[in-house]
Amino acid sequence: MGSNGSVIPFFMKEKEKGALPITDSNMTRFNITLEEGVDLVLYSLKNAWGSEIFIPKIPSYNIIDLAKAIGGENCKINITGIRPGEKIHEQMIGLEDAPHTYEYDDHYKILPAIYNWSSDPERNKGGVKVDKNFTYSSDNNKEWMSVGELKEWIDANKSKIGKI
C-alpha cells in the first residue's frame, strides 16, 4: 500500500471511469503499509544475527474484494487476463525455505542453511519451527481482510496511499 505499482491508487483512479480492470478474479495479495514495512526493517536491524530473512505476518485480500471496497458492491469489473510475469498469488516463504523457517508472534524468520545456523538455539530463540511442507503465500494465509475491513483500512489510510 502506498508503494509504486500498488493497485489501490490505480483502482481509485479507474473507478471514475465506471469499471475496474482485473486480470484474474482468483488473484490474492498481501497488505502492508509502508510504516509496517519500516517497523519490520528496524526490528530486523536490532534483532538480526546476520543473514536471516524476516517476513511479516500480514493479512491477505482477494482482488475482487478490494474492487468492491473501492468501487462499491455493484462496481463493474472487466476481467482482462493475466499479464506476462504477473502472479496470481504472492509468495513470501517457499517450500524450499521451510526447513530453515521459524514462526514468531508477528513474523517468520528464515535462517541461513549454512553452518547449521538454522538449528542453532541462539539464532532461533523463541521461534517455533514450521512444518516441513509450510509455505506462506497470499492464498494460504490465515488472516484475511473482508470487503468492509478493506474499505475501513483504505479510508483510514487515504492520506498515505500513493498517487499514480
Side-chain angles (χ1 to χ4, degrees):
M1 190 281 297
S3 64
N4 287 338
S6 173
V7 72
I8 296 172
F10 174 70
F11 275 5
M12 292 173 86
K13 182 179 175 185
E14 290 294 304
K15 81 175 181 177
E16 303 307 321
K17 297 178 182 177
L20 297 177
I22 293 182
T23 56
D24 190 295
S25 62
N26 295 311
M27 187 174 287
T28 61
R29 290 292 180 259
F30 285 109
N31 197 41
I32 189 169
T33 64
L34 185 58
E35 290 84 1
E36 290 168 330
V38 169
D39 288 346
L40 182 66
V41 169
L42 295 175
Y43 176 85
S44 302
L45 288 170
K46 287 181 185 176
N47 293 284
W49 284 54
S51 302
E52 306 96 323
I53 300 170
F54 289 78
I55 298 98
K57 286 185 179 178
I58 52 178
S60 291
Y61 62 83
N62 178 279
I63 198 74
I64 296 291
D65 290 342
L66 179 65
K68 290 177 181 178
I70 292 173
E73 286 290 330
N74 297 318
C75 71
K76 185 169 175 11
I77 293 172
N78 294 328
I79 304 296
T80 60
I82 196 156
R83 299 175 300 194
E86 188 173 29
K87 295 180 179 182
I88 301 294
H89 310 292
E90 292 179 311
Q91 179 178 287
M92 288 206 253
I93 302 174
L95 192 59
E96 65 281 358
D97 293 317
H100 313 289
T101 301
Y102 288 81
E103 182 175 8
Y104 300 82
D105 288 341
D106 58 358
H107 67 279
Y108 296 97
K109 183 166 56 173
I110 302 172
L111 294 164
I114 59 172
Y115 309 119
N116 294 318
W117 285 352
S118 63
S119 59
D120 181 345
E122 287 300 312
R123 284 184 169 265
N124 61 45
K125 187 181 275 183
V128 176
K129 193 154 180 52
V130 300
D131 184 78
K132 67 179 182 175
N133 295 315
F134 178 80
T135 61
Y136 184 50
S137 63
S138 58
D139 66 322
N140 74 0
N141 198 354
K142 295 174 188 171
E143 185 181 352
W144 285 86
M145 296 180 80
S146 68
V147 173
E149 289 169 326
L150 284 162
K151 189 178 278 192
E152 286 177 19
W153 187 87
I154 291 166
D155 287 342
N157 290 285
K158 271 191 180 164
S159 65
K160 300 173 191 172
I161 295 173
K163 304 283 185 221
I164 293 182

